[in-house]
Amino acid sequence: MSEEQIKSLERQFDERIARDEKIEPKDWMPEKYRKTHIRQISQHAHSEIVGMLPEGNWITRAPSLRRKVALLAKVQDEAGHGLYLYSACETLGVSRDELYEQLHSGKAKYSSIFNYPALTWADMGAIGWLVDGAAIINQVPLCNTSYGPYARAMIRVCKEESFHQRQGFEIMLKLANGTPEQKEMAQDALNRWWWPSLMMLGPTDDKSVHTEQSMKWKLKRKTNDELRQQFIDQTVPQADVLGLTIPDPDLKWNEERQSYDFGAIDWDEFWQVVKGHGPMNKERMKARVGAWERGEWVRDAAMAHAQKKQERKEKQAV
Amino acid sequence: MKNENLYNYILGIADNSLILGQRLGELCGHGPNLETDIACTNISLDLFGQVRSYFQYAGKIAGDGRSEDDIAMLRKERDYKNVLLVEQPNTNFAYTLGRQFLFDAYHLMFLRELQKSTDLTLSAIANKCIKEVSYHERFSSDWIKRLGDGTDESKAKIQEAINDLWMYTDELFHQTDADKAMVAEGIGVDVTQLKDAYYNYVSEVLEAATLQVPESKYFHKGGKHGIHTEHLGYILAELQYMQRAYPNMQW
């Protein structure tokens, strides 16, 4: 294809996106669009899968049968999200095995928040309330993103995430209204998860390398700082309902901006965790790689069995 | 307690689902691929749902204010009545799957009979559970065939697991005093009547999976009477942790 032809295709492509048309797997797309989407969708899928670990770690210890059932269902939903996000990603011409390989080798990233440990039962509440809460803020705009399979997957994901967020809030509410010991457990979880949740919305706009292009492709509708502000403004009143204190002495309502001012985020910590040196990075990867390696003979057996079955069927047909 | 036999009978059924559900719950997020991870979590979820129905009923029978959680999480080691099979560890996927299949095949046959119970609550619970357990059994028997008739490695692994777990199958067909009393009243299932059909069916699946049916005649028992393997204590340590560390609280 000549350079001119490519330019013309690119122009048409940009116009389609501007008209809010969906791009489908068989449509022509710029290579950069394809690559950016593989990066973002797979990162999202990996986050779901790694995100199963901190919560999965509490399934056997959930305090009641009702909570155990709800937690199992939640972690199962996350596996389901991973499944349809990987499928959406595969429509861009990359296999799930390749994507796993990128995760396991450290080439692909996942949400840094899952590199923090889930230490007490209240963390199940805080993760649902704050982490899923921040995820929803990130994800709702993606229901209208330009790439069709991703947008459709996100509609399903968002419905379930908002259910998880309410479930997390409800765990916190029960603790906050419980015994002093329970309330203390809830406050401690909020103290530990608050700042990492703010970091989840990504680096500040001046440090975010992908924002501009992503906004153009509607992979992003608001900047990281806007999303973070939205999250804080929405969450502070919820903390008030719980009677818990957000661990930020500089948090203050700004009448003029009609928003909360908040304290400085420790970006050194953020980058340390992103670069692989958070409290749980090594353990999370060890768990994922371990499960994959231990499962190899099982996957091989399934393949071999399917092949044998197919061969038998063909023989019968002859 | 007026209805002690019925209470113990329900616990005998429900503890199997409780302990197996707990074992499967350990695996969540660590499966060989996403699909099996989801399936095992789903089976665990079904089993805990069943446990809740049984224990809510048992709580009513006890009539002393005991909740489903009290019954599930606040008994002592010797008071759990599950069979030894379900408490065996997730040594590898073959053991998990072998344990699942050997239990599912029994569970399905058991529920078919429990549907006929003269106790309407138990019959209704069985009716609800049977749909779920049919799926469990299809999943586990399909995987037995895949692993048996897959690669040499998978065949050796699943054969080893079946051979090791086989000694826990006979206990499924033992009766406690509560079982006998409930059978006499038309409430309980006479498990001794299921034994031949069980071994016939299990052998059929193993043969279809090109596996050997173990010939061992040495079996273990005790779970139904609260005499467990050493594994149970650790399972309970996790299951009961929150209720023991933070007693008398609402969650």
Side-chain angles (χ1 to χ4, degrees):
Chain A
M1 221 181 288
S2 73
E3 212 170 295
E4 207 155 301
Q5 279 172 311
I6 291 179
K7 280 231 165 84
S8 151
L9 281 170
E10 273 175 2
R11 208 168 36 246
Q12 288 171 37
F13 180 85
D14 289 344
E15 284 165 10
R16 287 186 66 189
I17 290 193
R19 285 196 299 270
D20 263 336
E21 273 179 44
K22 288 279 177 273
I23 307 300
E24 295 300 334
K26 289 197 172 130
D27 297 346
W28 184 88
M29 61 186 80
E31 191 51 22
K32 199 170 166 212
Y33 179 91
R34 198 179 75 86
K35 285 209 170 119
T36 302
H37 276 75
I38 290 178
R39 185 178 56 80
Q40 178 163 332
I41 301 172
S42 67
Q43 196 168 315
H44 189 169
H46 297 327
S47 302
E48 297 283 356
I49 301 312
V50 179
M52 292 168 72
L53 299 170
E55 290 176 300
N57 139 60
W58 272 93
I59 286 172
T60 57
R61 291 175 294 166
S64 70
L65 291 172
R66 185 172 81 90
R67 292 294 183 200
K68 198 188 283 281
V69 166
L71 186 59
L72 272 161
K74 184 185 178 199
V75 182
Q76 192 191 20
D77 282 349
E78 282 155 8
H81 296 172
L83 202 56
Y84 29 94
L85 287 163
Y86 282 125
S87 303
C89 206
E90 282 177 309
T91 65
L92 291 162
V94 57
S95 72
R96 215 204 288 180
D97 283 5
E98 283 173 74
L99 297 172
Y100 279 148
E101 170 51 35
Q102 291 172 4
L103 172 68
H104 297 158
S105 67
K107 193 181 154 218
K109 296 270 179 280
Y110 55 90
S111 184
S112 265
I113 192 96
F114 302 119
N115 292 316
Y116 289 86
L119 301 178
T120 71
W121 171 252
D123 290 25
M124 297 302 99
I127 290 176
W129 173 40
L130 300 172
V131 175
D132 288 300
I136 294 167
I137 295 228
N138 249 332
Q139 292 169 4
V140 165
L142 291 171
C143 298
N144 293 313
T145 189
S146 62
Y147 189 56
Y150 192 27
R152 288 188 289 273
M154 288 317 299
I155 291 173
R156 244 178 108 174
V157 170
C158 282
K159 271 188 200 147
E160 290 174 353
E161 292 290 6
S162 71
F163 179 74
H164 296 164
Q165 201 249 350
R166 281 202 299 275
Q167 189 174 297
F169 184 77
E170 207 255 321
I171 291 176
M172 292 301 270
L173 192 61
K174 199 83 184 180
L175 295 174
N177 292 330
T179 63
E181 216 175 345
Q182 283 174 305
K183 188 165 182 179
E184 193 187 312
M185 191 194 280
Q187 181 64 55
D188 168 65
L190 170 58
N191 293 349
R192 284 181 290 108
W193 289 95
W194 173 253
W195 292 105
S197 298
L198 297 191
M199 295 176 199
M200 240 184 106
L201 294 148
T204 50
D205 294 348
D206 55 329
K207 297 267 170 16
S208 172
V209 285
H210 303 296
T211 295
E212 198 190 330
Q213 180 66 76
S214 294
M215 297 273 272
K216 201 175 125 204
W217 286 334
K218 299 179 178 171
L219 248 180
K220 225 176 187 167
R221 302 247 166 175
K222 286 181 181 173
T223 69
N224 293 350
D225 288 335
E226 285 169 337
L227 293 170
R228 193 166 9 252
Q229 185 70 59
Q230 185 186 338
F231 174 71
I232 292 169
D233 291 347
Q234 160 188 318
T235 309
V236 174
Q238 294 170 356
D240 291 341
V241 171
L242 294 172
L244 298 177
T245 310
I246 292 199
D248 177 359
D250 297 325
L251 189 79
K252 209 171 76 199
W253 177 250
N254 182 323
E255 194 59 40
E256 199 180 314
R257 288 200 308 122
Q258 288 293 299
S259 256
Y260 282 93
D261 292 336
F262 55 96
I265 294 173
D266 181 355
W267 291 109
D268 288 343
E269 177 182 317
F270 174 78
W271 291 113
Q272 178 176 335
V273 180
V274 169
K275 285 177 183 153
H277 308 288
M280 296 295 283
N281 296 59
K282 289 201 171 61
E283 282 79 356
R284 298 292 184 237
M285 266 316 97
K286 212 167 122 192
R288 282 315 318 159
V289 173
W292 187 247
E293 286 174 353
R294 279 192 306 276
E296 191 180 1
W297 69 270
V298 179
R299 298 189 302 276
D300 288 348
M303 291 283 279
H305 181 73
Q307 203 171 348
K308 281 184 190 174
K309 247 175 124 174
Q310 181 66 26
E311 280 166 13
R312 280 198 286 266
K313 216 167 142 189
E314 278 163 15
K315 249 187 209 162
Q316 261 177 359
V318 174
Chain B
M1 199 188 308
K2 209 175 93 209
N3 252 323
E4 199 160 357
N5 279 330
L6 178 57
Y7 176 81
N8 283 327
Y9 185 66
I10 300 169
L11 264 51
I13 304 171
D15 281 351
N16 288 333
S17 297
L18 175 71
I19 300 302
L20 186 56
Q22 187 75 3
R23 272 293 189 218
L24 290 169
E26 293 170 11
L27 291 172
C28 191
H30 305 276
N33 63 15
L34 259 181
E35 287 79 358
T36 48
D37 212 313
I38 291 173
C40 288
T41 310
N42 194 43
I43 295 173
S44 175
L45 191 53
D46 286 344
L47 292 171
F48 281 114
Q50 298 172 8
V51 167
R52 295 191 66 193
S53 305
Y54 286 123
F55 285 165
Q56 282 164 12
Y57 184 39
K60 264 190 215 158
I61 302 289
D64 55 4
R66 254 178 283 186
S67 70
E68 58 180 71
D69 293 324
D70 295 340
I71 300 173
M73 299 175 179
L74 290 174
R75 279 179 284 152
K76 299 284 192 317
E77 298 90 330
R78 290 290 312 278
D79 297 330
Y80 285 81
K81 302 172 193 305
N82 59 283
V83 292
L84 302 179
L85 175 65
V86 295
E87 67 198 46
Q88 297 312 304
N90 299 309
T91 308
N92 61 31
F93 189 69
Y95 279 81
T96 300
L97 236 289
R99 182 187 66 207
Q100 193 63 37
F101 170 65
L102 292 173
F103 181 72
D104 288 342
Y106 159 81
H107 198 190
L108 191 56
M109 287 177 185
F110 175 84
L111 290 173
R112 280 195 193 118
E113 293 306 310
L114 190 64
Q115 278 184 305
K116 302 174 196 158
S117 171
T118 56
D119 182 300
L120 295 181
T121 308
L122 282 182
S123 149
I125 296 175
N127 196 31
K128 178 188 149 267
C129 297
I130 206 159
K131 292 182 199 104
E132 298 167 348
V133 174
S134 306
Y135 160 76
H136 305 171
E137 199 279 329
R138 205 163 57 234
F139 171 81
S140 61
S141 61
D142 278 354
W143 267 103
I144 293 288
K145 290 174 202 160
R146 258 180 226 128
L147 296 181
D149 191 18
T151 62
D152 289 346
E153 186 186 8
S154 69
K155 185 182 188 134
K157 283 200 152 92
I158 188 67
Q159 184 72 61
E160 184 195 11
I162 294 288
N163 291 350
D164 279 359
L165 294 166
W166 196 253
M167 60 189 169
Y168 301 112
T169 53
D170 188 63
E171 191 196 3
L172 292 164
F173 309 101
H174 292 198
Q175 285 183 316
T176 62
D177 290 343
D179 294 347
K180 285 178 194 157
M182 288 300 99
V183 172
E185 285 186 42
I187 292 173
V189 175
D190 184 351
V191 286
T192 61
Q193 300 294 314
L194 302 177
K195 190 169 171 175
D196 289 346
Y198 173 84
Y199 283 111
N200 284 339
Y201 175 70
V202 167
S203 303
E204 227 173 80
V205 172
L206 293 179
E207 279 159 18
T210 73
L211 294 169
Q212 303 285 321
V213 179
E215 282 173 7
S216 169
K217 295 278 179 273
Y218 296 99
F219 295 104
H220 290 287
K221 61 181 183 192
K224 287 186 177 183
H225 297 279
I227 299 175
H228 291 275
T229 59
E230 288 180 351
H231 301 298
L232 189 74
Y234 295 96
I235 296 176
L236 297 182
E238 290 192 19
L239 176 69
Q240 301 190 343
Y241 165 66
M242 288 295 291
Q243 290 278 343
R244 298 283 182 203
Y246 303 89
N248 304 316
M249 295 182 201
Q250 299 299 309
W251 303 95

